[in-house]
Amino acid sequence: MSFNVSADAYANFMGRYSSPLATKFADLVGVEPGQRVLDVGCGPGALTEELVRRVGADDVTAIDPSESFVEAVAQEFPDVMVSLGGAEQLPYPDASFDVVLSQLVVHFMTDPVAGLTEMARVTSPGGTVGANVWDHSGMLGPLSMFSRAVRETDPNAADEANLAGAKEGQLVAFFEAAGMTNPSASVLSVSVVHPSFEQWWHPFTLGVGPSGAYVAGLDPAAGERLRAHCETLLPSGPFTVDAAAWTVLWRKPS
């Protein structure tokens, strides 16, 4: 799935959560100078930026199916090799990278097993494959309060809890189906302070991802009902959103 929105829109919507997650993800993997790293489904560059900070732009490669995101990453990081494409058909030779990561992307892969299989293929022996996805199923993702409001105002609406990998154990199962035996699983958590309800709500109106598409499809009256219900569920002043991401790593045998 590609996101046909601007990089700024995505950054305002999910970047506030994905940037701190990228730091924790890179820490868990142990990304360090001298490694060749691939960012699969780089989006507008939250993880790419963290990887560049750790290993330098010359050793970072990125790929994403959304033209707007590829353009944004190319402009922000001109020394990063960034390409347009999906995880399911990576345009790289076997064993090209020491670390191959995918942050918040398995949810939207056309075929998660095929995408992870490709990630393993381009990883060098002894290298690491890693992926994470939000725990939407356990209502512990960053959109959990929004999802609750949607369910309570529109019980027939689609639920992000059904996205690929959102349920506990699903991401591990995808790794194993892709031939990556004995992967390690953990949970990464981030906490983001929102100064106001409006600052939290506005990005949902930008059309980003399934949630943004849902809001964009509402008539004005329904949109206002949803907004008002969200407002009853959240404080008006500063509040913190805690979010958890299922995370799986696999080391390719040497």
Side-chain angles (χ1 to χ4, degrees):
M1 174 181 178
S2 65
F3 283 70
N4 295 315
V5 296
S6 71
D8 286 342
Y10 183 89
N12 287 329
F13 178 68
M14 191 52 66
R16 49 195 176 170
Y17 308 107
S18 58
S19 290
L21 180 64
T23 300
K24 292 195 172 186
F25 192 24
D27 283 343
L28 180 67
V29 174
V31 177
E32 59 186 12
Q35 294 176 324
R36 301 160 298 162
V37 186
L38 173 63
D39 184 359
V40 178
C42 62
L47 180 58
T48 309
E49 180 177 12
E50 183 65 24
L51 298 175
V52 167
R53 187 179 71 80
R54 291 173 183 245
V55 306
D58 289 343
D59 284 327
V60 176
T61 300
I63 187 168
D64 196 273
S66 296
E67 290 186 17
S68 61
F69 293 168
V70 169
E71 291 172 1
V73 170
Q75 182 173 357
E76 182 70 17
F77 309 105
D79 293 326
V80 168
M81 182 179 294
V82 57
S83 303
L84 183 69
E88 296 82 358
Q89 290 185 310
L90 295 175
Y92 313 111
D94 295 355
S96 296
F97 304 97
D98 303 304
V99 178
V100 178
L101 303 179
S102 182
Q103 174 165 290
L104 307 177
V105 176
V106 173
H107 280 326
F108 305 109
M109 288 182 183
T110 304
D111 183 337
V113 173
L116 290 168
T117 299
E118 276 289 271
M119 289 173 62
R121 177 185 66 78
V122 302
T123 302
S124 60
T128 300
V129 178
N132 61 39
V133 289
W134 292 125
D135 179 10
H136 290 309
S137 177
M139 292 300 289
L140 295 174
L143 311 180
S144 60
M145 196 59 69
F146 174 84
S147 297
R148 174 184 167 184
V150 169
R151 286 199 310 273
E152 292 175 354
T153 57
D154 183 5
N156 295 320
D159 194 333
E160 293 200 23
N162 294 318
L163 290 173
K167 294 180 173 62
E168 184 174 5
Q170 232 175 18
L171 188 56
V172 168
F174 288 153
F175 267 68
E176 291 174 337
M180 291 180 273
T181 57
N182 299 317
S184 62
S186 58
V187 176
L188 294 177
S189 299
V190 298
S191 297
V192 177
V193 176
H194 295 271
S196 67
F197 171 79
E198 187 56 38
Q199 187 269 351
W200 174 86
W201 167 256
H202 176 68
F204 287 98
T205 69
L206 301 177
V208 180
S211 296
Y214 175 77
V215 172
L218 296 174
D219 63 51
E224 182 52 37
R225 282 196 300 272
L226 176 59
R227 182 191 184 283
H229 191 55
C230 287
E231 197 164 13
T232 68
L233 299 175
L234 290 164
S236 58
F239 58 90
T240 300
V241 171
D242 298 316
W246 304 117
T247 305
V248 177
L249 304 182
W250 176 76
R251 185 172 297 277
K252 190 169 187 175
S254 299

